[in-house]
Amino acid sequence: MNYLILVIHGQFSEGLKDALGMFVGDGIKTVKAIGLQSGEDTDHFENRFKSLLSTLEQNSELLILGDIIGGSPLTTVVNVLNQENRLESTIVLGGMNFPMALNAAILKDSSSKDELISSVLREGASALKQFEMNDDPEDDDEI
């Protein structure tokens, strides 16, 4: 079984997981969320992540999406995965946004690692754009 783990500062990961559930249905069972809370030290966060990790199948593959590469939550998670010899079966990506997470949740069980990485990063990047109104009444397909 493959798991998607959302790793973020604060409580955003739980909200993101909730929103993903609207799109992936039962697939949400393999999405986990954990955030470094305001005022929480990294040792406590590390212990919470170890506890979460202990609930997952040992031979499972993990896709970790973090908010900031180099941030305390993601660095702590990577250190734990390294200590547990689980980095070989883990993909770690940063700069998470909703389209990226949705793409990851949908494709994590059906794509090769290379395809998954490429698709998730491409989706995350392509979602970044300015919203613009289309004033042309002839074009009903676009806003």
Side-chain angles (χ1 to χ4, degrees):
M1 179 173 291
N2 298 329
Y3 291 93
L4 170 61
I5 303 176
L6 310 173
V7 179
I8 301 178
H9 290 84
Q11 298 177 19
F12 178 58
S13 60
E14 288 295 333
L16 184 58
K17 179 182 174 187
D18 182 59
L20 286 174
M22 297 174 68
F23 292 85
V24 299
D26 282 344
I28 202 67
K29 293 175 184 172
T30 59
V31 177
K32 306 298 178 186
I34 188 165
L36 175 65
Q37 301 306 309
S38 179
E40 180 180 28
D41 66 43
T42 54
D43 289 337
H44 187 258
F45 176 74
E46 178 179 317
N47 288 331
R48 288 194 307 113
F49 181 69
K50 285 179 179 178
S51 179
L52 182 151
L53 195 58
S54 72
T55 67
L56 308 180
E57 296 173 22
Q58 184 63 32
N59 62 346
S60 60
E61 293 188 3
L62 308 176
L63 173 55
I64 308 290
L65 296 184
D67 57 353
I68 301 172
I69 293 284
S72 296
L74 193 55
T75 301
T76 301
V77 164
V78 168
N79 287 338
V80 169
L81 292 170
N82 188 44
Q83 292 166 7
E84 301 286 330
N85 296 316
R86 300 231 14 210
L87 278 179
E88 285 287 320
S89 60
T90 301
I91 297 169
V92 180
L93 303 174
M96 177 177 24
N97 58 32
F98 183 79
M100 185 178 180
L102 179 59
N103 197 264
I106 292 169
L107 297 178
K108 69 180 174 47
D109 294 318
S110 61
S111 298
S112 71
K113 281 187 176 187
D114 289 340
E115 291 170 338
L116 181 61
I117 292 167
S118 176
S119 179
V120 169
L121 291 176
R122 184 175 50 252
E123 186 66 29
S126 71
L128 301 174
K129 56 184 102 178
Q130 180 180 355
F131 176 82
E132 294 180 0
M133 293 293 291
N134 183 352
D135 292 332
D136 185 1
E138 299 282 320
D139 192 356
D140 291 336
D141 294 336
E142 294 184 25
I143 294 178

